[in-house]
Amino acid sequence: HGDVPLAFYTQPSKAKYAANAFGDTADIMAFYEKEIGVPYPWDKYDQVTCADYHWGGMENTTITTLTQRTIHADEIENVRSSRSLNAHELAHQWFGDYVTCKDWSHLWLNEGFATYYALLHQRHQFGQDAFNYELYLDARDDIGLMHKDLRPIVYREYKDPGEQFDFRAYPKGSWVLHMLRNLVGEDQYRQAVKNYLTRHALSDVETDDLREAFEEVSGRPLDKFFDQWVYHGGVPELKVTYKWLANDKMAHVTVEQTHETGNGVLLFELETKLRFIVDGKPIDEPFKIDGKRHDFYVKLPAEPEIVRFDPDYTLLKRTDFSKSDKMLRAQLENEDDGIGRVLACDALAKRKTKANVAALRKALNDDSFYGVRLAAAEALRRIGSDEAVNALVESTDQPDARVRHRVIEQLGACYRDEARETLLETVEEEKNPAIAAAAVKGLGLYQGKDVSAAMRKALSADSHGDEAAAAAFLAIRELNDASFADDLMKAIKSRDQEMSPQDITEGLITLAKISQRGRRRDVAFDFLTGYLSYPRQVLRGGAVRALGELHDPAGRPVLEPIAADERDEYLAGLAKAALEMLDKETRLAPAEVGELRREVRDLRKSQDKLQKAIDELKGKRTAADDATPAKAKQADKD
């Protein structure tokens, strides 16, 4: 890129696919230089993949080390991409290397920036909808799932630096920057970041350095913003209600902050807007929230078809906004609002009606944005009715591999005969290894000779990354069938040189879990202890973990010396955990698992028959009522 030489190093066996991981590097660097306003600050940039690297990547100055799992074959299509990891680590050359957080309490100044700038490049390359969708996933899956963790981003009471490398530094830090960008505007945001970097180049920084840079450029005090978002914990939990006042032609919207407040979590001050779609046209009403509850009254020309809170997606929050099914379906059809359509899918998943299933099915097959199609597939699985499962079964022919993969994943969570048949067909016919692997994993819920055949085929399948075999390791664990033990040992032994050590570890653990009884336990014990002297540390750790899962008392004298060896803290920690596992109860035997699952399926069939009978009775009652003369009906009422 320009005068900066770029170099990429990977294992010879993976070199043919290197472009899939590194091909965007020059574009990312060019975008960052323009967006940040500071040229790439070093004289070269190299990237190196490592076979046994534990994490995603490490931003050493001028040379990033990456997991080899970031190398994807062409056949994977767009199911997985290295773009985000590439962009994240490259952003660290500015945020983390050129300026570095003063101590671990300010880690978000490294990781929050790297996370957010990877998303900004996503917007640069794929547009606003893709950008908002990634913000949504971060808010829902990473921050939302940890909503009970009320530690602030800047947290000085950690006992180990590793405690800081969590959702607070990465996605929440990214969201803070996103809100700051929307608060001061994009131009002032860029200028403040440029000033922050140039002023503190090649030195360390803390959060107040960033705040001061933004206050100088924007001319507004930001102590409240940083206090509530960075120095205090939690996110705002908002209950939003809407009512149409027909006589006054006025919308009444109430916003209430419902989260518990105290020394650790404050009432938030928030600026956003309401958007009303009236006769297809948007009407925006900006407002500010600075108290427990606010009532807003907005005069409108007519009743809106759609009401949106924070339509531009500028606030991190957990929102409870109950709308009618009709309004949600209208929101799902609004082509101008990608994130609104995603949110509509999420809300409709809780409304199990045939009309909503039909709307979600249409979105899954026809929506212009892949994120909406992904959300629609997930919503149909959550509804789980016969109509919803059939919609998934009949929507597997997707041109976008990401959506095809998601449909198969969701079918893998539907314990239905129709889903089972589709998964088996996918294993046989699908050319994309990632999608075929998703089908294999989903079959872990089922018994049968055809399922067993699919597992054995997957264990011997040859593809880049061994995705099918890795999926079979997990599926066989769910099946809990000891008859696969020999097949597992053969697959592990034949692949332990080239397969990801993390995947081999899963295979070792599966072997242990299905071999906890009888003679097979002795065979598995000998196999696992053979890996304790293996050259690759990750596999030695996998063997240690598996010995704990095997529940064989013979493992104790083997594990105790490893646990006591302070020279290798990694293995010692795993061995201590494995020793604790030896005393835990074993799982149900395969026959017991199969019987329970058959009972569940029979119960569901009986329930379906009962529901049909009830529907028939209701139909007969309605027909009888319709046939009753009007006078007789009135007499009954009298």
Side-chain angles (χ1 to χ4, degrees):
H1 168 70
D3 296 330
V4 180
L6 306 177
F8 318 105
Y9 303 90
T10 191
Q11 295 84 337
S13 62
K14 299 182 180 296
K16 64 182 289 188
Y17 302 117
N20 294 336
F22 307 127
D24 292 308
T25 304
D27 179 73
I28 296 169
M29 186 176 287
F31 169 74
Y32 282 168
E33 288 187 327
K34 182 178 180 181
E35 171 64 33
I36 296 170
V38 176
Y40 177 75
W42 314 108
D43 60 359
K44 70 178 182 69
Y45 186 59
D46 299 337
Q47 292 169 281
V48 183
T49 63
C50 302
D52 289 356
Y53 192 61
H54 289 271
W55 310 109
M58 179 62 207
E59 66 279 6
N60 313 292
T61 303
T62 76
I63 180 168
T64 290
T65 50
L66 301 160
T67 172
Q68 69 173 9
R69 294 163 75 95
T70 197
I71 305 290
H72 305 303
D74 297 338
E75 296 79 34
I76 298 295
E77 300 173 80
N78 60 358
V79 171
R80 278 189 284 280
S81 169
S82 303
R83 188 180 300 106
S84 178
L85 178 61
N86 189 344
H88 180 101
E89 300 305 334
L90 181 49
H92 273 311
Q93 298 299 316
W94 285 267
F95 307 104
D97 293 345
Y98 194 50
V99 297
T100 306
C101 62
K102 186 175 183 178
D103 59 54
W104 295 119
S105 67
H106 298 281
L107 177 65
W108 81 283
L109 296 175
N110 292 14
E111 300 300 346
F113 268 99
T115 303
Y116 187 54
Y117 276 75
L119 296 185
L120 288 175
H121 181 261
Q122 177 99 341
R123 185 178 73 168
H124 160 74
Q125 199 160 35
F126 299 109
Q128 188 69 36
D129 283 347
F131 174 69
N132 284 345
Y133 182 64
E134 294 299 325
L135 284 167
Y136 161 78
L137 293 179
D138 282 349
R140 184 193 69 177
D141 298 341
D142 294 321
I143 304 170
L145 291 177
M146 299 298 294
H147 69 276
K148 293 183 179 180
D149 186 340
L150 301 180
R151 291 174 298 163
I153 290 177
V154 174
Y155 180 67
R156 296 183 175 87
E157 298 177 25
Y158 61 88
K159 296 179 181 179
D160 182 273
E163 296 176 30
Q164 296 294 88
F165 287 80
D166 62 13
F167 76 98
R168 294 168 299 128
Y170 290 79
K172 189 175 182 183
S174 168
W175 256 101
V176 168
L177 294 171
H178 180 60
M179 292 185 289
L180 194 54
R181 187 184 184 99
N182 283 280
L183 185 64
V184 303
E186 294 208 355
D187 291 340
Q188 290 188 352
Y189 173 90
R190 291 191 185 98
Q191 186 61 54
V193 169
K194 181 179 180 180
N195 292 355
Y196 163 75
L197 285 172
T198 54
R199 180 177 303 165
H200 301 286
L202 303 176
S203 64
D204 53 41
V205 288
E206 55 187 15
T207 300
D208 279 349
D209 295 321
L210 183 68
R211 177 185 57 78
E212 290 170 1
F214 273 90
E215 288 182 338
E216 289 174 6
V217 171
S218 67
R220 60 189 296 174
L222 294 169
D223 53 327
K224 177 64 177 179
F225 176 90
F226 279 86
D227 191 38
Q228 66 185 14
W229 288 112
V230 181
Y231 294 110
H232 284 80
V235 300
E237 297 182 11
L238 307 176
K239 182 175 179 60
V240 182
T241 59
Y242 156 78
K243 184 178 182 180
W244 174 245
L245 306 178
N247 292 337
D248 301 314
K249 284 194 172 182
M250 191 174 289
H252 176 204
V253 177
T254 300
V255 181
E256 182 179 2
Q257 299 195 51
T258 59
H259 57 273
E260 293 186 10
T261 58
N263 292 333
V265 182
L266 304 174
L267 277 179
F268 286 79
E269 288 189 5
L270 309 169
E271 295 181 22
T272 185
K273 66 176 71 168
L274 288 163
R275 176 168 296 159
F276 304 93
I277 307 296
V278 181
D279 294 330
K281 297 179 181 179
I283 299 173
D284 286 354
E285 184 71 20
F287 64 92
K288 182 177 181 178
I289 300 169
D290 56 10
K292 179 74 172 175
R293 175 189 167 109
H294 291 270
D295 289 276
F296 302 98
Y297 295 87
V298 183
K299 194 77 173 176
L300 296 171
E303 183 176 2
E305 303 96 58
I306 301 172
V307 180
R308 291 276 283 113
F309 175 78
D310 185 31
D312 297 328
Y313 211 52
T314 61
L315 289 180
L316 175 61
K317 60 198 177 298
R318 300 180 72 228
T319 308
D320 175 11
F321 188 179
S322 182
K323 305 176 186 179
S324 68
D325 287 14
K326 180 181 178 181
M327 183 176 286
L328 287 171
R329 290 196 295 269
Q331 184 173 315
L332 182 57
E333 294 175 357
N334 184 7
E335 275 296 316
D336 297 326
D337 186 7
I339 192 63
R341 300 199 304 279
V342 170
L343 294 170
C345 289
D346 185 55
L348 287 171
K350 304 165 189 172
R351 314 282 184 85
K352 302 183 179 183
T353 69
K354 291 183 179 180
N356 292 342
V357 168
L360 289 166
R361 178 176 183 151
K362 184 176 185 298
L364 172 57
N365 289 284
D366 298 340
D367 199 277
S368 59
F369 176 46
Y370 77 90
V372 175
R373 300 201 297 278
L374 297 178
E378 185 175 333
L380 287 166
R381 189 268 305 163
R382 288 168 60 191
I383 289 174
S385 64
D386 289 344
E387 294 84 2
V389 174
N390 287 335
L392 288 170
V393 167
E394 295 169 7
S395 301
T396 56
D397 185 16
Q398 296 283 343
D400 190 316
R402 291 169 294 188
V403 183
R404 200 159 77 250
H405 182 261
R406 179 61 58 85
V407 170
I408 295 301
E409 275 190 329
Q410 299 307 305
L411 282 171
C414 298
Y415 190 58
R416 300 292 182 91
D417 290 337
E418 314 91 282
R420 182 182 190 275
E421 295 307 311
T422 301
L423 295 173
L424 285 167
E425 290 174 8
T426 302
V427 171
E428 286 295 323
E429 300 173 6
E430 178 60 56
K431 303 301 182 186
N432 186 313
I435 299 173
V440 170
K441 187 176 178 181
L443 286 171
L445 294 176
Y446 302 93
Q447 304 286 330
K449 292 182 179 179
D450 47 3
V451 171
S452 296
M455 292 299 129
R456 291 188 167 92
K457 177 182 177 181
L459 285 174
S460 61
D462 183 21
S463 65
H464 177 79
D466 296 304
E467 296 221 22
F473 291 163
L474 299 176
I476 291 169
R477 187 183 306 174
E478 288 298 316
L479 291 170
N480 199 22
D481 187 343
S483 69
F484 285 105
D486 291 339
D487 302 280
L488 273 173
M489 288 186 285
K490 180 180 178 181
I492 291 169
K493 200 66 180 174
S494 65
R495 298 172 188 267
D496 61 13
Q497 292 290 325
E498 73 277 356
M499 194 174 188
S500 160
Q502 290 86 354
D503 290 334
I504 290 289
T505 293
E506 295 299 333
L508 294 173
I509 292 172
T510 294
L511 174 65
K513 283 180 172 289
I514 68 171
S515 304
Q516 294 170 344
R517 290 176 170 83
R519 185 188 65 82
R520 291 190 183 277
R521 187 165 73 173
D522 296 335
V523 175
F525 179 84
D526 291 340
F527 185 83
L528 294 172
T529 53
Y531 277 93
L532 292 177
S533 57
Y534 199 78
R536 301 172 77 176
Q537 184 200 43
V538 179
L539 289 194
R540 296 201 302 275
V544 167
R545 291 174 59 193
L547 283 169
E549 296 284 359
L550 189 62
H551 296 286
D552 188 344
R556 187 170 295 279
V558 175
L559 292 169
E560 284 175 344
I562 300 174
D565 189 349
E566 298 179 354
R567 293 172 299 175
D568 192 330
E569 293 182 359
Y570 170 72
L571 287 180
L574 293 177
K576 290 174 184 176
L579 286 167
E580 293 178 3
M581 286 291 296
L582 290 180
D583 299 324
K584 292 187 177 181
E585 294 182 4
T586 58
R587 297 176 64 193
L588 292 173
E592 295 167 319
V593 173
E595 183 61 32
L596 283 174
R597 286 176 173 161
R598 278 190 290 273
E599 288 178 6
V600 170
R601 293 172 74 183
D602 291 342
L603 182 61
R604 180 177 286 125
K605 289 178 181 178
S606 298
Q607 188 178 21
D608 290 342
K609 289 180 181 179
L610 180 60
Q611 186 62 52
K612 288 179 181 178
I614 292 172
D615 291 342
E616 289 177 3
L617 287 172
K618 287 181 178 178
K620 291 177 180 178
R621 175 63 184 272
T622 301
D625 288 346
D626 291 342
T628 303
K631 289 184 178 180
K633 290 182 180 180
Q634 185 61 45
D636 288 342
K637 291 180 181 178
D638 295 341

